[in-house]
Amino acid sequence: MKNNYSLSKIAPVLFGFFIMGVVDLTGTAINYVKVDFALNDTTANLLSLSCFFWFLVLSVPTGFLMNRIGRKNTVLASFLFTLTGLLLPFVNYNFLFSILAFTLIGIGNTMIQVALNPLVSNVVSKKKLTGALTMGQFIKSLSSWLGPNVAAWLAGTTLGWKYVFPVFAAVTLLAALWLWLAPVREDEREKKAVSFLSTFSLLKDTRILLLFIGILILVGVDVGMNATLPKYLMEKCPDVTSVPEADRLKSYFYFIVRAIGAFAGGILLMKIPERKFYAASALLSLAGLVLILFCSSLWSILGCVALFALGYSNLFAIVFAKALKHVPEKANEVSSLLIVGVSGGILALLLGAASDLFGTQWAAVLILAIAWLYIVWLIKLINSLK
């Protein structure tokens, strides 16, 4: 397909990653909802189940929809679900409506993650795909950083933290209008009949299977860190006494560091081989996670969190791009399959149960560190993929 790559096409597509970052409001909401409705960790973490469950059941059907109506229209439909979900807590704030809100946000985020990543390939060249996806993760990280900060600021006003939802709803509406007006064209050959069988048959390829498990772990650890870190800080550090304060610290030392790492990675990946970048990043993150377990002071913990975040920032994009380039003729099916892996966010429910069982958030962080060993093991596969 011949395509003239231009800013008018690239910018609105990449801005879609900002709306993709809305899913990270889950971790922020878990901590506020827990306090507002006097819930234990297990019950509060049901928000993550209501959101990430849909990646498990709707990713492949979204692939079917994408092949029927196109990638751009599927992203636009995802904005509609996200917008509706963001308005619900503003209409009626209770635990049930919070569950319903994150159900719709989860459905919308499933659709956008399935369709947006391959849509990027319609506006950038193949050689720049990994860098573009990494830049998209940078934009997503900015959204993830803004969420807890805006919520924390609103929590200190008469409005309350839940007004973060209409703020993001307005941005989602603007993003939808921008993409709708963007001159993004797709090759009709990309709209072809697929099936559950053709999609899941990709798992017969051992490399795709291992990359799929990698996505499961990456997302599970990310969502787990997002939900656990504020509670861990309040447990370990006497100076951190409130959810807004802990959430604000998380936003700077986790999300803003990830944004910086993703921005730098988007540039460096144009020059450094992906396999070397992946290995260094995976090991750096492992060091950060392990050290968190043995640190006791606030600044040492936050330093280790920043270390983990810096390493994490480019791994999702590298794994995703490796899979897309491994089977480029089945990009839609690969994207659908890998986004099923985003259901790994359900891991947060296990972390909540572990912290309730042992009476400490340390148990949750230990599980994250153990899970991360798979990402380190995956270095060998990444090195073997050309």
Side-chain angles (χ1 to χ4, degrees):
M1 178 181 70
K2 294 182 178 181
N3 203 338
N4 295 319
Y5 306 115
S6 65
L7 186 61
S8 64
K9 297 176 182 179
I10 297 171
V13 171
L14 288 182
F15 189 71
F17 283 91
F18 190 92
I19 309 306
M20 189 186 291
V22 169
V23 74
D24 288 321
L25 279 176
T26 310
T28 295
I30 284 172
N31 294 301
Y32 281 103
V33 166
K34 177 185 176 182
V35 173
D36 290 347
F37 303 114
L39 307 173
N40 60 23
D41 283 326
T42 303
T43 304
N45 281 5
L46 285 174
L47 284 180
S48 69
L49 177 63
S50 69
C51 182
F52 290 97
F53 169 77
W54 301 104
F55 289 94
L56 181 64
V57 300
L58 289 183
S59 293
V60 176
T62 298
F64 302 162
L65 178 66
M66 180 169 61
N67 281 295
R68 183 176 293 272
I69 69 173
R71 297 167 180 175
K72 177 180 173 179
N73 287 334
T74 302
V75 173
L76 290 172
S78 78
F79 289 157
L80 179 60
F81 278 99
T82 303
L83 179 63
T84 305
L86 288 168
L87 292 175
L88 280 183
F90 181 65
V91 173
N92 186 14
Y93 179 54
N94 57 43
F95 187 58
L96 176 60
F97 266 67
S98 297
I99 291 289
L100 292 175
F102 280 95
T103 294
L104 290 171
I105 290 172
I107 293 171
N109 212 263
T110 300
M111 297 174 71
I112 194 173
Q113 295 219 36
V114 169
L116 188 60
N117 288 294
L119 184 61
V120 173
S121 66
N122 288 110
V123 295
V124 300
S125 65
K126 184 178 179 180
K127 290 182 179 180
K128 296 182 179 180
L129 179 59
T130 301
L133 290 178
T134 303
M135 195 58 66
Q137 290 301 309
F138 162 68
I139 295 170
K140 178 179 181 290
S141 294
L142 290 179
S143 175
S144 302
W145 168 71
L146 279 172
N149 273 283
V150 173
W153 176 74
L154 288 169
T157 70
T158 56
L159 296 175
W161 80 273
K162 63 181 179 294
Y163 273 75
V164 70
F165 291 103
V167 170
F168 273 84
V171 178
T172 301
L173 180 60
L174 289 175
L177 291 173
W178 193 10
L179 182 60
W180 179 53
L181 295 172
V184 178
R185 292 186 179 182
E186 302 171 49
D187 192 331
E188 287 298 320
R189 290 174 296 177
E190 293 166 349
K191 300 179 183 179
K192 55 186 178 181
V194 297
S195 64
F196 278 95
L197 181 61
S198 65
T199 300
F200 283 102
S201 65
L202 290 170
L203 294 175
K204 293 179 181 179
D205 185 327
T206 304
R207 293 177 176 182
I208 293 295
L209 173 62
L210 295 176
L211 292 172
F212 170 76
I213 297 173
I215 294 292
L216 276 170
I217 300 298
L218 283 170
V219 176
V221 173
D222 177 33
V223 175
M225 180 64 78
N226 189 6
T228 301
L229 181 58
K231 294 177 285 188
Y232 188 77
L233 291 175
M234 289 188 288
E235 177 183 299
K236 298 283 287 186
C237 310
D239 294 338
V240 182
T241 58
S242 68
V243 171
E245 183 182 3
D247 227 31
R248 190 180 291 112
L249 288 170
K250 176 190 71 176
S251 74
Y252 282 101
F253 287 87
Y254 185 52
F255 286 124
I256 199 64
V257 172
R258 272 183 55 182
I260 293 170
F263 181 78
I267 297 172
L268 292 174
L269 281 166
M270 302 292 184
K271 302 177 181 180
I272 300 175
E274 294 168 336
R275 63 183 186 279
K276 293 182 179 180
F277 204 96
Y278 179 92
S281 298
L283 292 171
L284 185 66
S285 289
L286 178 65
L289 266 179
V290 172
L291 289 173
I292 289 173
L293 293 167
F294 299 101
C295 292
S296 55
S297 68
L298 174 62
W299 294 110
S300 62
I301 292 173
L302 291 175
C304 294
V305 168
L307 200 65
F308 169 78
L310 190 62
Y312 183 97
S313 55
N314 299 286
L315 295 178
F316 184 94
I318 292 174
V319 172
F320 210 101
K322 281 290 188 182
L324 286 176
K325 289 189 283 189
H326 181 57
V327 195
E329 69 278 7
K330 295 185 177 181
N332 285 2
E333 291 95 323
V334 170
S335 181
S336 299
L337 180 65
L338 291 185
I339 297 305
V340 173
V342 179
S343 62
I346 295 173
L347 177 65
L349 195 62
L350 173 61
L351 301 180
S355 60
D356 283 337
L357 178 63
F358 293 100
T360 174
Q361 299 297 325
W362 193 90
V365 178
L366 177 62
I367 292 174
L368 295 178
I370 293 172
W372 196 257
L373 293 175
Y374 179 85
I375 301 303
V376 174
W377 178 84
L378 205 59
I379 291 174
K380 183 178 180 180
L381 172 65
I382 297 296
N383 286 339
S384 70
L385 292 171
K386 296 182 179 180

